[in-house]
Amino acid sequence: MFFSKSPHPANFRFLNSFNVETGELTDAEKTFRASLNSFTGDVFHIQISDAKLWGENRSIVALNEPSQHDSKKVELTSKGEILVKGPKNKILLKGQFGVLGENSLFSFELSDQAQFFGMGEKYFGQQELSGYRAKFWNTDVWSDFHWAQWGNNPSDPPYYSAPYVAAKIGDTYVGFLLHNPSPAFIETPGVDDSRVFVEWQRTSPNLLLGNEGGEPNLWIIVGPTLPELTRKLQKLVGVTPLPPLWSLGYHQSKWGYEGHDDLLKLDAEFTKHQIPCDGLWLDLDYMKGYRIFTVDKEKFPNGPQETADELTKTGRRIVPIIDPGVKKEAGYAVYDDGIKNNAFCQTSEGNPYVGLVWPGETVFPDFTQDKVRQWWAGYAKQFRASGFGACWVDMNDPSTGPVDPYEMWFNNGKDHHNKHRNQYALGMQQATFEGFKQAKPNERPFILSRSGFIGSSRYAAIWTGDNCSNYFYLANSIPCSIGLSLSGQPFAGMDIGGFGGDVTDELMVDWIKLAFLFPFARNHNGKGNRDQEPFAFKAPVMSVIRRYIRLRYKLLPYIYNLFIQQEEAGDPILRPVLYHYPEAGNEKLDDQFMIGDAILQAPFVNEEKSRKVTLPGTQKWYDARTGEWLAPGEVIVKRGREETALFIREGAILPMQPGTPTTTEKEMMGVNFHIFVPEDWTGETTYTYKADDGLTYDYQKGIRSAVRLTVVGAKGHLILNLEELADDHGPINPTFVLHGNPKSVKLKGQNLPTKPGRVMLTGRGLSVQVS
């Protein structure tokens, strides 16, 4: 596998004749079966088949096909051309399909002004991706690349593969998804002289999407806007099921925590310093000799349940690691049982494939088989029932250490490694998720995964793998996470502080300010590196870290409702500024991002003393540091130890916990509605807030409460209307916090008495009016 090289269009034969009656796509020498299916919402599926060449589609998770609908936005012509049309049936793209042995390629001609977004997890450093060659092949980055490549530079491909790209053509967005687990590649047209030192290295003038083997399956989605496109994609690949509320809190991890004593010590420190923390994570050291599904009795003398019961008092859960590598050792129950059930991947000669990872010689479950996933789910069920609250599945690229994985064959040794590698982690996620549901049928599982593929959104959150404690990885966290958000994986985050190396005080402060509202927030670092727990730093630094962890908890009602909206509608939690403000130039705002549609963050991603921030749109923005209302446009923000640049759009309603959270307790029913309207504001805004038990599936049975708050303003006079939509989880009893000093406030026609108050967000204390 060449990571930096892709098949070239000149080597392909492009098919130039299609018979709509017979479904034959040909160039007179080779003939394939082709079909184009049209679905509601301008979603289209092109499938090319040849049983002898490619076999059947080997994807283990089917996409959620919408209902069929006869749309002509995409056509397959008699000349074998693929036409994609936009408004008024204008042709946006013209494509062809080509083959080269088992390789397949879709090539599209499009406007020179096109822009490109998505591609999932990429460390390219920018969200607009013109002029890139990208491979999609799950790697163990630290093992598969030299440290000089990943330490402070972009390496590709990374751990997670999402062969998807969104093309902006004029004012219309078109998405392209290759649903094929074989190695994929995407090449976008464009010019970037920083990566090209000879002319022939430039990318193709056409958009290229292809696979190195496997049945060609291309999904085309016509937006027309970026939000509409993203929602359609998310529903197609699978929305993220509403996670447990505790999983959206702050998490603490380190390679080196071993068991009961370490966990209780951590618990005591977080309690002492009044820092909320929902999850305490264990890396490899809790196991007996790195054997998965075992616990070292010296680390947990009375088993994990006793520790879990102690941590329940402070609302924390234990989250241990699980790797797929099973120690090759007769007498080890998991290995013996796997051999008995023929559960492991095989070599081309029919023997169990052996790699070298943490336990030494290891074998690997074949997660591409349903029977093996069921076998693994049985062990995951026991593991969850033993007292662990969740898990993270690591090394599932799969990592085989220094051993070439090409002899790891799937499907009882019938399928070459290439045919399934990208979906190996997906199978592990699926099996673990199922086991957890068997253990706790009415409790929402939480699983974090390193690698993944199309459909991982249904089973696991993703963290962006092993990173380093430096500003390169800090800055790249934003466009990388935006790529995931736009590519169907909204529940994601990075190792806060960096996994490798020693974080500095300044970098740790910058990192927590950047990541404290990310969908997933975990502080994790490596053994032998400087400790990164908040209380491991001197008091002034710890104070800042604690402040932003507490602010995350204060905003949990808002974050949780974004996940509710994600499950219902498909919008991501973290969004590019372009998502809501499509003006030209906003695609270059790689160091800014939005959380939902109301919060704009502009953290420092380098060591400079000041930075430029673009406030988009036409309405004012509330500066969460100062309480000032700022006009849209460019502003200069100076670095401050305590402060970070966070802005809230005019007319926003943000649900927050009251006060300053210092524990894991979460007040979701007596919520504060913070209303942000400038003086003399005239307009109307509305927000629907929902609350449930945050843990079970009872909300799917209707056991959820909801209210709708509408605020109407006329020259600074506010009228509030609170409508109860449901109270099956109990009554929601909100209070109101007004940012903007209104002249009068009425609630349901009655004067609403308010009193002065103070709120601290990301700067000094702010004057507000509280009902």
Side-chain angles (χ1 to χ4, degrees):
M1 168 66 67
F2 286 100
F3 291 159
S4 58
K5 300 180 187 297
S6 299
H8 185 58
N11 293 317
F12 283 75
R13 61 166 66 232
F14 285 92
L15 309 181
N16 54 22
S17 177
F18 176 64
N19 187 320
V20 69
E21 300 294 332
T22 64
E24 293 182 331
L25 182 65
T26 182
D27 67 348
E29 293 185 23
K30 286 196 172 183
T31 301
F32 301 88
R33 302 290 299 179
S35 63
L36 169 62
N37 287 304
S38 170
F39 301 94
T40 300
D42 290 330
V43 177
F44 305 87
H45 180 209
I46 297 176
Q47 183 176 25
I48 315 294
S49 58
D50 185 315
K52 291 183 179 180
L53 183 62
W54 294 307
E56 62 184 9
N57 187 336
R58 293 180 172 83
S59 298
I60 61 175
V61 172
L63 300 187
N64 298 320
E65 293 183 356
S67 59
Q68 290 201 347
H69 178 74
D70 186 20
S71 171
K72 301 299 183 183
K73 286 286 182 69
V74 174
E75 291 185 14
L76 184 55
T77 74
S78 60
K79 295 181 180 180
E81 293 178 320
I82 304 166
L83 304 181
V84 182
K85 300 176 182 178
K88 299 181 180 179
N89 286 324
K90 179 182 178 181
I91 295 177
L92 299 176
L93 304 102
K94 182 184 296 185
Q96 281 187 292
F97 174 74
V99 292
L100 172 63
E102 291 189 21
N103 298 328
S104 59
L105 178 67
F106 294 92
S107 175
F108 289 92
E109 301 175 13
L110 70 176
S111 163
D112 293 341
Q113 306 303 314
Q115 297 174 335
F116 303 93
F117 305 88
M119 295 199 197
E121 182 184 285
K122 296 294 180 185
Y123 270 93
F124 293 151
Q126 59 190 60
Q127 57 185 294
E128 201 286 304
L129 300 174
S130 293
Y132 276 91
R133 289 185 180 91
K135 277 292 187 74
F136 298 86
W137 172 260
N138 290 353
T139 63
D140 176 3
V141 174
W142 281 26
S143 178
D144 295 346
F145 296 91
H146 190 274
W147 71 267
Q149 293 175 272
W150 50 254
N152 205 13
N153 294 284
S155 57
D156 190 66
Y159 304 94
Y160 175 98
S161 290
Y164 168 81
V165 65
K168 182 177 185 289
I169 307 158
D171 293 327
T172 300
Y173 283 85
V174 181
F176 300 87
L177 176 69
L178 293 168
H179 192 217
N180 177 351
S182 296
F185 58 94
I186 294 177
E187 188 169 321
T188 57
V191 175
D192 186 347
D193 291 329
S194 68
R195 298 193 311 275
V196 173
F197 62 90
V198 290
E199 187 65 26
W200 43 263
Q201 285 192 326
R202 297 193 187 280
T203 56
S204 169
N206 289 356
L207 171 63
L208 307 179
L209 308 104
N211 285 100
E212 298 176 23
E215 183 186 76
N217 277 275
L218 177 66
W219 289 81
I220 301 176
I221 310 170
V222 181
T225 67
L226 183 57
E228 289 176 287
L229 178 68
T230 306
R231 293 177 199 129
K232 293 175 186 178
L233 170 73
Q234 193 65 66
K235 290 184 178 181
L236 181 65
V237 303
V239 297
T240 292
L242 184 63
L245 178 59
W246 71 267
S247 70
L248 304 183
Y250 172 80
H251 300 268
Q252 188 65 54
S253 181
K254 182 178 176 66
W255 176 21
Y257 299 157
E258 295 192 344
H260 178 85
D261 291 343
D262 286 341
L263 295 174
L264 293 191
K265 182 180 178 181
L266 284 167
D267 177 63
E269 289 291 320
F270 277 105
T271 301
K272 172 185 174 182
H273 293 286
Q274 297 184 307
I275 302 172
C277 176
D278 272 274
L280 302 177
W281 295 55
L282 295 172
D283 211 310
L284 299 154
D285 297 303
Y286 78 94
M287 302 180 198
K288 181 180 179 181
Y290 303 131
R291 298 170 181 84
I292 60 169
F293 296 125
T294 68
V295 172
D296 190 328
K297 290 187 177 181
E298 291 186 6
K299 313 294 175 58
F300 287 99
N302 299 312
Q305 188 63 59
E306 179 187 66
T307 313
D309 291 342
E310 282 291 317
L311 294 177
T312 298
K313 299 173 185 176
T314 51
R316 306 191 220 285
R317 298 198 175 209
I318 313 170
V319 187
I321 195 172
I322 304 176
D323 289 350
V326 176
K327 184 174 178 63
K328 182 177 178 287
E329 178 184 63
Y332 166 36
V334 179
Y335 172 76
D336 290 344
D337 192 39
I339 292 294
K340 177 183 176 181
N341 286 279
N342 194 28
F344 300 124
C345 295
Q346 299 178 10
T347 66
S348 58
E349 295 189 351
N351 299 312
Y353 169 86
V354 178
L356 283 172
V357 286
W358 293 106
E361 291 189 344
T362 50
V363 291
F364 298 83
D366 182 357
F367 291 116
T368 67
Q369 298 186 62
D370 180 66
K371 70 170 188 176
V372 178
R373 294 195 296 272
Q374 293 180 30
W375 171 81
W376 179 274
Y379 283 98
K381 175 183 177 182
Q382 298 172 23
F383 190 76
R384 174 69 181 89
S386 71
F388 294 122
C391 76
W392 51 309
V393 288
D394 195 7
M395 306 286 284
N396 52 4
D397 324 294
S399 175
T400 56
V403 182
D404 191 329
Y406 267 40
E407 272 298 321
M408 178 193 283
W409 287 51
F410 301 100
N411 189 21
N412 293 317
K414 300 175 184 176
D415 292 347
H416 187 270
H417 190 75
N418 274 12
K419 299 183 187 299
H420 293 282
R421 179 182 177 90
N422 281 344
Q423 63 181 353
Y424 186 85
L426 173 59
M428 186 183 187
Q429 296 157 12
Q430 193 177 17
T432 309
F433 188 92
E434 178 58 31
F436 278 25
K437 285 193 68 175
Q438 291 175 14
K440 305 281 184 178
N442 196 34
E443 185 172 319
R444 306 172 216 168
F446 173 57
I447 297 167
L448 180 74
S449 180
R450 183 167 83 176
S451 289
F453 189 59
I454 298 162
S456 287
S457 52
R458 308 179 193 185
Y459 306 106
I462 295 292
W463 98 99
T464 55
D466 296 335
N467 59 2
C468 294
S469 298
N470 58 40
Y471 279 95
F472 168 79
Y473 276 100
L474 175 75
N476 272 269
S477 297
I478 298 174
C480 179
S481 298
I482 285 173
L484 286 164
S485 288
L486 297 180
S487 303
Q489 186 63 50
F491 197 1
M494 84 301 289
D495 285 342
I496 297 174
F499 176 73
D502 294 328
V503 70
T504 63
D505 290 2
E506 293 75 15
L507 177 59
M508 190 67 206
V509 167
D510 283 342
W511 216 310
I512 196 69
K513 289 178 180 179
L514 179 147
F516 79 98
L517 291 181
F518 264 51
F520 175 66
R522 180 183 71 161
N523 178 336
H524 179 53
N525 71 324
K527 184 180 289 188
N529 298 327
R530 179 186 181 183
D531 290 341
Q532 291 180 181
E533 301 88 357
F535 37 78
F537 296 87
K538 55 190 177 183
V541 177
M542 183 193 73
S543 176
V544 178
I545 298 171
R546 175 172 58 192
R547 173 178 180 168
Y548 286 97
I549 294 173
R550 289 174 172 178
L551 186 53
R552 178 182 183 86
Y553 277 80
K554 188 172 183 66
L555 281 159
L556 272 185
Y558 177 66
I559 297 172
Y560 189 62
N561 272 263
L562 287 175
F563 273 92
I564 291 175
Q565 295 164 23
Q566 199 286 138
E567 183 182 45
E568 293 176 350
D571 286 300
I573 289 79
L574 185 149
R575 306 169 188 176
V577 176
L578 190 72
Y579 199 84
H580 295 290
Y581 302 95
E583 294 82 9
N586 287 348
E587 75 280 356
K588 298 179 181 179
L589 298 179
D590 298 316
D591 58 358
Q592 298 181 207
F593 59 93
M594 300 193 70
I595 299 296
D597 67 353
I599 296 177
L600 172 67
Q601 283 189 251
F604 279 83
V605 297
N606 52 46
E607 298 178 273
E608 294 180 357
K609 300 301 181 185
S610 65
R611 60 154 297 166
K612 182 177 69 175
V613 178
T614 297
L615 300 178
T618 59
Q619 294 180 308
K620 293 180 180 179
W621 291 85
Y622 181 86
D623 190 334
R625 301 167 303 155
T626 65
E628 297 178 273
W629 286 96
L630 303 177
E634 290 185 358
V635 297
I636 300 299
V637 173
K638 294 182 179 180
R639 177 186 288 274
R641 166 69 80 173
E642 299 280 339
E643 302 173 349
T644 189
L646 185 146
F647 303 90
I648 300 161
R649 66 165 174 81
E650 176 183 327
I653 300 172
L654 294 184
M656 301 188 199
Q657 289 201 75
T660 300
T662 59
T663 70
T664 60
E665 293 184 14
K666 303 169 184 70
E667 177 53 76
M668 304 293 282
M669 306 301 284
V671 67
N672 288 165
F673 285 129
H674 287 247
I675 302 169
F676 295 85
V677 291
E679 192 173 356
D680 295 328
W681 178 72
T682 297
E684 182 173 339
T685 185
T686 185
Y687 184 84
T688 299
Y689 175 75
K690 300 179 180 181
D692 49 50
D693 63 22
L695 183 63
T696 74
Y697 287 106
D698 287 353
Y699 76 95
Q700 295 181 348
K701 305 170 187 175
I703 304 177
R704 172 181 276 171
S705 299
V707 295
R708 180 186 296 120
L709 175 62
T710 300
V711 181
V712 178
K715 296 182 179 180
H717 297 276
L718 300 183
I719 298 174
L720 279 57
N721 184 54
L722 188 68
E723 180 184 1
E724 184 180 272
L725 304 178
D727 66 352
D728 298 273
H729 183 59
I732 296 173
N733 298 307
T735 53
F736 306 96
V737 180
L738 307 173
H739 300 253
N741 196 26
K743 296 173 181 176
S744 68
V745 185
K746 288 186 177 182
L747 175 62
K748 295 184 177 180
Q750 302 295 317
N751 288 328
L752 181 67
T754 62
K755 60 183 179 180
R758 301 283 285 178
V759 171
M760 184 174 288
L761 296 176
T762 66
R764 63 181 184 230
L766 306 173
S767 296
V768 294
Q769 292 293 315
V770 182
S771 67

